[in-house]
């Protein structure tokens, strides 16, 4: 006997269950952040349609003593659309072809 | 998890480069926790499959043409139950759901003055079902129900002027926005929420498949719609035009049309020149009417 | 408090006592006076915190109530005829979403041709939507039914929309003495709506998800099963009402004199009074006739009916609607309920579009069956001889 299918009243769904769908394998390309170029402007964060870029602290501090941040991609969800690389005004994101699509 | 992701999450099913999630997260950035009523359509399909919801806010989808009414009902219930402080009520509806099949419910919601923010996600056709034309499809666009043929150059009629229709209903705040400028969307939503009553924001949202562009072109193409004045970014408060996005060195409409498969035929079709001239005339008129040229 | 009131007021007053949170409607003849009376109560500040909304259409009205109900409100509307079928897309949706919206239907025919007069074609068109349907025989019954409808629909074992059907004009506009309920009694009987799940920013659930073939079927069967569970809930609520109000309207059906009857006659709605009277008359003449009032139509009380007609040879179902291409709707259900028994089913269709159904017609219909002057099946009575021409 298989497990019982759990259905809810009127097909009500729980919040944010999409997070279990890892869309990271969708694209042929993936973005690489060139950390030394990144100005932590947050543009890529605002544009990424898959909500998978965050600004994270590098652990370093800048000249003014502020904690340095850089863009960091969550590859679990990145669909490789390239939007982040297009909107970045500081040439800090480069798209690369995934190994399996090479050749 | 970022703050953004608590209201709308990764793992949704939008095509790579889709504009809709950019629009949605930019709106939610301004609203915070809110009530969402969504029409049937692209956004609904990519975000509300049973057991895979991408929503972190209370969300409801009923049918295609009634999101404005459903939102009105939520607002009425929150009022009656003394729960209005839980958050604003927001509609996300596509262009077809807004300008075609759902315009009756939208008109009713405006007319009765519900405290609802209505966001039309305008990707200019029924994209979820494969690019069928809607009232907001621009002229010259080749869709599956207005295909370019030997005689016809794609859609013939003009794009319906929904902001004017919203204004005619005396919606308190009416604006257009674009996924090319997400921070502008957030600012406009914040402003809209300062008004009690019905508010309408129409967001130009790229559809990579329907428009026939690559994911990487999504934002540049959306930007070109604004920079050619084909999609003027305008803002009305209580009927008065209060702000516009100025354009430096307005570009000819061809620059916007060329990269998109839906317009490609215009450059070789016997009626193509005529249609392009008409689109240029629309852009010129927009620039003049709203004072877009910087 | 006994008062002579019109049907629409009996409904409006009872709805008010149920303390709905959101009422939304669009006027349509002959339902209009129901919502007009509610609008007056709202204008007078008599509805408490209730929001009363006039929608831009019945479609909008039903949609507004979907939002309101999902947000946790007790919701009510009234409609009929074109209005009801305009609502139908949303009502199917509401049933699937398990939203206990309560409706009064002022039964009216469907177009074309346009007719504002009474029959049951409108509510019958909603037969398969997942909406509980019950039919009243008079204005006291509809007055009593409104609190019961909320209690049934909102029961956690059920959570389905419910329609209380009353015949347009025949009941909505009739003056009848009605013992008006007190607020205390209704408050004692009907607790506030306690939705098991609702739209709130505190627990941000997604309502109206779509289902793939992997689960769609289970969701639809769950609606079917909720309707099955409603049978018992309805019986219990009807009983509780009889105790608390002192008026016992019976269960899903009311069977009278059926035990020894050769012929059982069934009717729904305002025709009940007349048919019951004729059956009584025939009884007094020594004829073995029984009568069944069908109160609940969905879920269909098949077992009750099968039991009630157990000793009968013939069954007559007075039909107030049609199913083009098949037997009329109530007949189909009756036939299915008694399919194992050797009972002939007669389906006289009467009174479409407000056509008068006089007492002597009812009597002759029953008598011709008893005297074997008519074949079993669907036929029309009170119909004029007609000839169809192009123009
Ligand atoms: S847009 Fe470029 S510079 Fe800005 S945060 Fe992203 S990667 Fe860094
Ligand atoms: S490639 Fe697309 S999905 Fe991936 S991080 Fe960049 S914008 Fe997001």
């Amino acid at each position: 006997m298989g497990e019982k299918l759990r259905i809810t009243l009127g097909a009500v769904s729980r919040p944010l269950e999409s997070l279990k769908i890892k869309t990271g394998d969708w694209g042929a390309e993936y973005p690489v952040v060139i950390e030394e170029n990144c100005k932590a402007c947050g543009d890529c964060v605002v544009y990424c349609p898959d909500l998978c870029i965050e600004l994270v602290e590098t652990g370093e501090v800048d000249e003014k003593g502020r904690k340095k941040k850089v863009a960091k991609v969550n590859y679990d969800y990145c669909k490789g659309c390239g939007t982040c690389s297009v909107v970045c005004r500081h040439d800090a994101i480069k798209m690369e072809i995934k190994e399996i699509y090479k050749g | 998890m970022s703050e953004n992701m608590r209201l709308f999450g990764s793992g949704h099913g939008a095509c790579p480069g889709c504009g809709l999630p950019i629009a949605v997260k930019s709106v939610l950035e301004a609203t915070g926790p809110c009530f969402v009523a969504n029409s049937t359509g692209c956004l609904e399909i990519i975000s509300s499959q049973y057991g895979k919801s991408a929503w972190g806010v209370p969300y409801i989808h009923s049918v295609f043409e009634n999101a404005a009414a459903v939102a009105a009902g939520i607002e009425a219930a929150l009022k009656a139950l003394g729960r209005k402080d839980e958050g604003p009520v927001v509609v996300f509806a596509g262009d077809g759901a807004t300008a075609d099949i759902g315009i009756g419910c939208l008109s009713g919601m405006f007319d009765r003055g519900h405290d609802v923010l209505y966001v039309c996600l305008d990707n200019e056709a029924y994209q979820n079902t494969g690019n069928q034309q809607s009232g907001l499809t621009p002229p010259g666009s080749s869709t599956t129900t207005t295909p370019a043929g030997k005689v016809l150059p794609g859609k013939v009629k003009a794009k319906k002027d929904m902001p004017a229709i919203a204004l005619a209903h005396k919606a308190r705040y009416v604006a257009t926005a674009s996924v090319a400028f997400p921070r502008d969307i957030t600012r406009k939503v914040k402003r809209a929420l300062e008004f009690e009553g019905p508010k309408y924001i129409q967001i130009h949202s790229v559809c990579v498949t329907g428009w026939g562009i690559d994911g990487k072109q999504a934002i540049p193409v959306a930007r070109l719609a604004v920079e050619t004045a084909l999609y003027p970014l305008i803002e009305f408060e209580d009927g008065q035009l209060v702000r516009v996005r100025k354009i430096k060195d307005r570009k000819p409409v061809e620059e916007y049309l060329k990269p998109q498969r839906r317009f490609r035929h215009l450059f070789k079709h016997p009626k193509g020149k005529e249609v392009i001239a008409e689109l240029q005339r629309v852009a010129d008129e927009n620039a003049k009417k709203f004072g877009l040229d910087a | 408090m006994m008062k002579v009131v019109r049907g629409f007021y009996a409904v409006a007053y009872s709805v008010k006592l149920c303390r709905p949170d959101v009422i939304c409607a669009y006027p349509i003849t002959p339902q209009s006076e129901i919502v007009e009376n509610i609008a007056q109560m709202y204008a007078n500040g008599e509805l408490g915190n209730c929001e009363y909304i006039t929608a831009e259409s019945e479609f909008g009205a039903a949609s507004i109530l979907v939002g309101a109900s999902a947000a946790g409100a007790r919701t009510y509307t009234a409609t009929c005829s074109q209005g009801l079928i305009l609502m139908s897309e949303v009502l199917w949706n509401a049933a699937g979403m398990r939203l206990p919206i309560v409706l009064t239907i002022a039964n009216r025919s469907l177009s074309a041709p346009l007719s504002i007069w009474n029959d049951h074609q409108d509510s019958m068109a909603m037969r398969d939507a997942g909406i509980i349907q019950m039919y009243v025989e008079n204005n006291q019954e509809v007055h009593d039914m409104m609190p019961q409808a909320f209690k049934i629909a909102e029961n956690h074992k059920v959570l389905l929309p419910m329609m209380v059907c009353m015949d347009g004009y025949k009941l909505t506009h009739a003056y009848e003495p009605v013992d008006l309920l007190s607020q205390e009694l209704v408050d004692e009987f009907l607790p506030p709506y306690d939705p098991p799940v609702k739209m709130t920013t505190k627990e941000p659930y997604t309502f109206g998800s779509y289902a793939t073939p992997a689960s769609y079927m289970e969701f639809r069967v769950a609606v079917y099963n909720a309707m099955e569970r409603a049978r018992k809930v309805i019986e219990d609520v009807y009983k509780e009402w009889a105790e608390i109000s002192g008026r016992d309207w019976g269960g899903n059906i009311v069977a009278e004199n059926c035990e020894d009857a050769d012929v059982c006659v069934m009717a729904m709605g305002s025709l009940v009074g007349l048919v019951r009277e004729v059956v009584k008359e025939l009884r007094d003449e020594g004829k073995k006739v029984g009568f069944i009032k069908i109160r609940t139509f969905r879920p269909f009380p098949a077992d009750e009916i099968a039991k009630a007609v157990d000793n009968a040879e013939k069954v007559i179902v007075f039909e107030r609607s049609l199913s083009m291409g098949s037997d009329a709707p109530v007949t189909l259900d009756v036939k299915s309920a008694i399919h194992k028994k050797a009972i002939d089913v007669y389906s006289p269709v009467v009174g479409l579009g407000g056509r008068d159904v006089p007492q002597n017609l009812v009597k002759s219909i029953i008598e011709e069956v008893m005297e074997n002057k008519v074949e079993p099946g669907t036929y029309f009575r009170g119909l004029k001889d007609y000839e169809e021409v192009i123009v």
Side-chain angles (χ1 to χ4, degrees):
Chain A
M1 283 295 282
E3 230 181 281
K4 267 193 184 177
L5 176 68
R6 176 183 159 276
I7 64 158
T8 57
L9 184 78
V12 168
S13 292
R14 303 191 150 274
L16 296 171
E17 284 185 301
S18 65
L19 292 174
K20 64 189 182 204
I21 316 295
K22 302 286 167 29
T23 50
D25 56 2
W26 281 30
E29 292 182 313
Y30 65 101
V32 178
V33 178
I34 304 153
E35 294 196 3
E36 53 274 27
N37 289 0
C38 176
K39 301 278 181 292
C41 68
D43 278 0
C44 54
V45 177
V46 167
Y47 281 91
C48 171
D50 288 282
L51 304 96
C52 53
I53 313 183
E54 267 186 285
L55 295 182
V56 296
E57 286 169 13
T58 57
E60 296 161 40
V61 285
D62 66 11
E63 322 75 69
K64 289 182 186 150
R66 287 176 305 207
K67 286 182 180 160
K68 261 185 94 168
K69 285 185 170 184
V70 288
K72 183 164 179 274
V73 176
N74 181 345
Y75 294 104
D76 279 351
Y77 301 108
C78 168
K79 292 175 186 161
C81 67
T83 297
C84 52
S85 71
V86 171
V87 300
C88 176
R89 288 166 293 177
H90 305 281
D91 264 337
I93 302 184
K94 191 168 88 228
M95 297 305 289
E96 291 200 357
I97 309 253
K98 285 180 184 168
E99 241 2 271
I100 48 163
Y101 291 101
K102 277 186 184 157
Chain B
M1 206 193 299
S2 73
E3 183 57 36
N4 236 332
M5 263 172 70
R6 265 194 280 274
L7 304 179
F8 189 77
S10 304
H12 60 70
C15 304
C18 176
L20 298 178
I22 304 175
V24 168
K25 65 180 193 167
S26 305
V27 170
L28 295 179
E29 179 82 29
T31 60
C34 63
F35 293 83
V36 167
N38 190 192
S39 59
T40 309
C42 291
L43 177 62
E44 176 255 336
I45 290 298
I46 65 168
S47 68
S48 74
Q49 185 178 328
Y50 175 64
K52 295 178 183 175
S53 172
W55 295 91
V57 294
Y59 166 100
I60 187 168
H61 157 254
S62 172
V63 297
F64 197 174
E65 66 275 40
N66 70 354
V70 171
I74 296 168
E75 187 243 11
L78 296 179
K79 241 199 244 174
L81 299 167
R83 287 169 42 204
K84 274 217 67 163
D85 58 346
E86 273 193 38
V89 181
V90 180
V91 173
F92 286 115
D95 46 286
T98 300
D100 296 339
I101 196 167
I103 199 165
C105 284
L106 176 57
S107 175
M109 188 277 280
F110 280 156
D111 184 43
R112 291 185 302 267
H114 291 278
D115 192 17
V116 168
L117 169 63
Y118 190 102
V119 177
C120 169
L121 298 169
D122 180 12
N123 56 20
E124 305 196 310
Y126 298 97
Q127 302 296 6
N128 160 48
T129 46
N131 192 32
Q132 293 86 13
Q133 81 97 28
S134 82
L136 294 193
T137 301
S141 182
S142 179
T143 72
T144 49
T145 51
T146 57
K150 286 193 184 106
V151 179
L152 293 175
K155 179 173 170 174
V156 176
K157 294 282 191 231
K159 184 179 173 88
K160 199 184 276 192
D161 192 353
M162 277 310 297
I165 291 170
L167 286 168
H169 282 84
K170 307 218 169 346
R172 300 281 327 267
Y173 178 91
V174 175
T176 53
S178 165
V179 294
F181 306 101
R183 288 190 179 91
D184 181 58
I185 298 175
T186 304
R187 179 187 66 75
K188 281 171 175 159
V189 172
K190 275 197 184 128
R191 181 65 186 150
L193 292 177
E194 288 171 25
F195 292 81
E196 201 178 324
K199 304 155 272 266
Y200 179 81
I201 301 180
Q202 182 171 306
I203 303 176
H204 198 218
S205 181
V206 191
C207 173
V208 286
T209 49
W211 296 9
I213 54 173
D214 188 69
K216 287 195 190 90
Q217 293 170 290
I219 298 303
V221 163
R223 227 178 254 151
L224 281 166
V226 175
E227 288 167 353
T228 54
L230 271 176
Y231 218 95
L233 300 193
I234 49 182
E235 232 176 319
F236 294 86
E237 296 180 2
D238 286 323
Q240 297 303 310
L241 181 67
V242 288
R243 279 173 293 274
V244 300
R245 187 179 189 95
K246 293 278 187 186
I247 307 168
K248 253 190 265 153
D249 307 319
R250 186 149 56 87
K251 303 200 162 95
V253 295
E254 282 93 338
E255 281 194 38
Y256 170 64
L257 305 175
K258 247 182 210 143
Q260 304 183 54
R261 193 184 53 227
R262 62 176 176 158
F263 293 119
R264 201 159 291 160
H265 61 284
L266 295 178
F267 296 93
K268 41 183 200 275
H269 196 277
K271 291 204 180 107
K273 272 209 177 81
E274 213 178 293
V275 176
I276 293 171
E278 169 59 15
L279 285 166
Q280 187 60 58
R281 191 196 61 73
V282 169
D284 293 345
E285 194 184 292
N286 284 339
K288 202 168 140 213
K289 188 156 104 194
F290 302 117
L292 301 178
D293 289 321
Chain C
M1 188 193 17
M2 211 48 141
K3 242 180 135 178
V4 174
V5 296
R6 300 183 80 175
F8 47 75
Y9 185 80
V11 174
Y13 190 80
S14 185
V15 167
K16 175 183 106 160
L17 299 181
C18 296
R19 302 185 190 275
D21 300 304
V22 180
I23 299 173
C24 184
Y26 184 82
I28 179 169
T29 303
Q31 154 268 30
S32 299
E33 287 86 348
I34 296 175
V35 292
E36 286 166 12
N37 271 275
I38 292 173
Q40 187 63 58
M41 292 164 181
Y42 183 64
N44 294 345
E46 293 167 15
L47 298 183
N49 293 328
C50 176
E51 287 288 313
Y52 173 82
I53 302 166
T54 298
E56 74 288 344
S57 70
E58 287 89 353
F59 179 86
S63 301
I64 286 166
L65 295 184
V66 161
S69 184
R74 171 170 289 163
T75 50
Y76 173 79
T77 189
T79 189
C80 65
S81 185
Q82 309 304 121
L84 180 59
I85 59 173
L86 183 56
M87 277 186 185
S88 71
E89 184 193 13
V90 185
L91 292 180
W92 277 74
N93 181 256
M97 286 171 79
R98 310 294 297 280
L99 301 174
I101 299 166
V102 169
L103 307 90
T104 308
I105 306 301
N107 282 109
R108 167 184 150 181
S109 50
L110 290 175
S111 182
L114 186 138
S115 157
I116 57 168
W117 309 103
N118 164 245
D119 63 35
H120 292 168
Q121 293 183 83
D122 53 355
S123 46
M124 287 296 148
M126 301 302 294
R127 188 186 65 176
D128 300 333
I131 304 168
I132 298 168
Q133 285 195 29
M134 79 82 56
Y135 291 73
V136 300
E137 71 168 285
N138 60 32
N139 290 341
Q140 182 71 61
E141 190 177 11
V142 78
H143 186 69
D144 284 5
M145 265 317 297
M146 298 321 302
Q148 298 180 73
F150 283 107
K151 193 153 186 167
I152 293 163
E154 293 170 1
N155 185 297
H156 286 196
K157 291 196 190 109
V158 178
L159 291 162
L160 292 173
M162 178 156 177
M163 299 184 350
V164 178
C165 303
M166 70 191 297
D167 285 335
Y169 284 121
K170 289 191 163 79
L171 293 182
T172 54
H173 287 62
Y175 288 92
E176 286 176 9
V178 173
D179 188 6
L180 295 178
L181 297 163
S182 70
Q183 187 67 69
E184 296 72 54
L185 185 139
V186 175
D187 284 347
E188 192 191 324
F189 173 76
L190 180 67
Y193 177 36
D194 168 33
V197 56
K198 62 170 185 275
M199 288 184 81
T200 163
T201 49
K202 290 174 190 121
E203 287 163 301
Y205 293 121
T206 291
F207 286 67
S209 325
Y210 72 92
T212 64
S215 61
Y216 176 87
M217 189 163 167
E218 283 72 21
F219 284 115
R220 297 306 290 172
V221 173
V223 177
Y224 178 91
N225 286 333
M227 190 61 97
E228 286 302 309
R229 287 195 299 271
R231 295 175 189 281
K232 174 81 169 59
V233 173
I234 294 169
E235 287 275 351
D236 290 348
V237 169
Y238 286 174
K239 263 190 213 126
E240 191 191 342
W241 182 258
E243 277 160 29
I244 198 166
S245 73
R247 273 186 298 275
D248 188 354
W249 294 99
N252 289 314
I253 66 166
V254 182
E256 295 162 15
N257 296 316
C258 288
E259 300 80 7
D260 66 340
D262 298 330
V263 178
C264 288
V265 188
M266 302 182 201
M268 290 199 318
S270 65
L271 202 57
V272 159
L274 186 61
V275 177
R276 182 193 284 125
E277 212 171 292
V278 172
V279 169
K280 225 173 252 159
E281 221 178 286
L282 291 163
R283 270 266 153 191
D284 291 345
E285 292 170 18
K287 310 255 167 66
K288 287 195 164 175
V289 203
F291 174 68
I292 296 172
K293 168 186 176 180
I294 301 177
R295 297 186 70 209
T296 313
F297 175 66
R298 280 290 176 275
F300 193 75
D303 291 349
E304 290 97 319
I305 285 179
K307 222 169 112 204
V309 303
D310 206 30
N311 298 320
E313 286 159 14
K314 294 173 181 174
V315 156
I316 303 174
V317 185
F318 275 88
E319 290 280 5
R320 305 291 319 285
S321 72
L322 283 175
S323 169
M324 309 303 177
S326 187
D327 279 327
V330 186
T331 296
L332 285 175
D333 281 308
V334 170
K335 277 192 175 171
S336 132
I338 61 173
H339 71 280
K340 283 197 181 135
K341 304 176 199 283
I343 300 177
D344 285 331
V345 180
Y346 298 79
S347 306
V349 178
V350 296
L352 296 187
R355 174 72 49 89
D356 196 27
V357 187
Q359 187 156 349
N360 58 2
L361 178 68
V362 172
K363 196 167 179 188
S364 69
I365 288 170
I366 301 174
E367 281 173 344
E368 64 183 0
V369 170
M370 301 186 80
E371 292 159 13
N372 294 318
K373 286 184 182 154
V374 60
E375 291 292 310
T378 297
Y379 50 92
F380 307 94
R381 287 297 177 263
L383 184 75
K384 293 169 186 162
D385 204 13
Y386 79 92
E387 170 191 14
E388 192 175 38
V389 296
I390 299 297
V391 280

